[in-house]
Amino acid sequence: MEARENAAATLFSLSLADENKIIIGASGAIPALVDLLQNGSTKGKKDAVTALFNLCIYQGNKGRAVRAGTITALLKMLTDSTNSMIDEALAILSVLASSYYATVAIVKSSIIFVLINLIRTGSPHKKENATASLLYSCKRGTENLSCISSLRAYGSVFD
């Protein structure tokens, strides 16, 4: 496990450079980072989440991240009351949400309801990222507008 966590730390450092985002994404490292995000130690999860955030800034890596199960991992992070990395999970989600593939996965998952709750009860930073993710999810086509109707079932988001 320690070797995987060290690799995640290295990928985190390397992913800061734009040209490396493409290389790392194409190398197949994203599924390993998602696995570490779900099963690693706190330190490993922090390095994995930061590396994933950096990698997902590059549009070409967003689909790879979705296919690797990032949305499911983020949902777990957002609903785990013992998780201290909710801000990081929301940051990745807000970056991914601009991708069509991520939007489809977000709408199909239960993240919409988690985002609504975070908009109601979260800190200003959490509200901002949750709102951005929800906005992208709802405006990516008429088939995704059904998520807006779910807001009515819960009253006004800003109550």
Side-chain angles (χ1 to χ4, degrees), residues 31-107:
L33 289 169
V34 172
D35 182 59
L36 189 60
L37 189 61
Q38 293 177 329
N39 302 310
S41 69
T42 301
K43 180 190 175 311
K45 288 179 180 185
K46 286 183 187 275
D47 288 335
V49 78
T50 308
L52 282 168
F53 176 82
N54 290 338
L55 292 171
C56 290
I57 290 171
Y58 171 64
Q59 189 69 28
N61 287 333
K62 292 178 183 184
R64 291 180 177 118
V66 171
R67 286 188 298 277
T70 303
I71 301 298
T72 302
L74 295 175
L75 177 60
K76 277 186 181 178
M77 290 175 71
L78 293 173
T79 56
D80 180 0
S81 61
T82 63
N83 185 8
S84 62
M85 295 191 303
I86 291 175
D87 285 328
E88 292 86 344
L90 283 170
I92 292 174
L93 191 62
S94 69
V95 168
L96 283 176
S98 66
S99 160
Y100 173 78
Y101 299 107
T103 300
V104 170
I106 288 168
V107 171

Side-chain angles (χ1 to χ4, degrees), residues 53 78 86-97 106 111 115 118-119 123-137:
F53 176 82
L78 293 173
I86 291 175
D87 285 328
E88 292 86 344
L90 283 170
I92 292 174
L93 191 62
S94 69
V95 168
L96 283 176
I106 288 168
I111 286 183
L115 293 174
L118 286 167
I119 291 169
S123 67
H125 187 65
K126 286 180 178 66
K127 288 179 180 186
E128 179 182 352
N129 280 325
T131 301
S133 299
L134 189 60
L135 176 64
Y136 275 121
S137 298

